[in-house]
Amino acid sequence: MLFADKLQSLRKSKGLSQEELAEKCNVTRQSVSKWETGLGYPETEKLLILCKILDVDLDYLLRDKSLKAQDYNTQKGISFSESYIGKWVRIFLKDQEFQGFHCVTLVAMYNSFLIIMDDKGKLGMIDGDSVNTIMDFANEKKIMKLPAIPDRETVKDICSYLVNRKCDVRLKQEGLKFKKPGGFYSVTVESISNDEIIVHDLDKRKQAARLSDILYIKEC
């Protein structure tokens, strides 16, 4: 995969427009467009900024190599979702216990997660690789009564938004067998990092889970 293709793919996976990426790099949108079409190339200083924004190392960004299998599967899992951003949809998941969401709007993408809002205005994030199918929500009468869809800027820092909020956190159960649904319910989020989420339950007990094991996190 060439630099131009990687840059475009990584930018979209972060839910950034060319204008937003250009602003973060202190360049024009035309410069980003040239980088993504192979008509231009960023200076070393800009490459380092891109690595920080896109959470990749310089070697990966520059070398002409394909995505690792795990990264490819994640990209595959979320790439088809882009056309549904800003729409009310039904999302069906691969999870054995929880099948999906009947009525949510897809607001943006954050790393390997899809940022959603439900019909009550509650925000959350779903593991993109766990998505099986997305369909338009066809009830036009109900859509007219649903909350306004927030723009990407409003939810771009979804992790910070969810901190100190009461949420349900469900764990993936694909290929696993649990006696009861796995997860933490009605917990207060203490922190979310690239590696884990830490929560407090109603008895103030601290619990943690790897972010790679999370099916979804959503406001109660």
Side-chain angles (χ1 to χ4, degrees), residues 145-184:
K145 300 177 182 179
L146 292 173
I149 299 174
D151 58 35
R152 296 185 185 188
E153 281 296 311
T154 305
V155 298
K156 66 179 181 179
D157 195 0
I158 184 65
C159 293
S160 295
Y161 174 85
L162 293 174
V163 169
N164 294 324
R165 294 180 184 270
K166 188 163 289 187
C167 297
D168 289 336
V169 181
R170 189 180 289 264
L171 302 178
K172 298 177 187 176
Q173 297 192 58
E174 183 179 2
L176 300 176
K177 294 183 179 179
F178 290 90
K179 293 182 180 179
K180 60 181 180 179
F184 314 124

Side-chain angles (χ1 to χ4, degrees), residues 181-196:
F184 314 124
Y185 302 94
S186 296
V187 295
T188 301
V189 176
E190 177 182 301
S191 65
I192 305 176
S193 69
N194 290 330
D195 300 315
E196 67 177 2

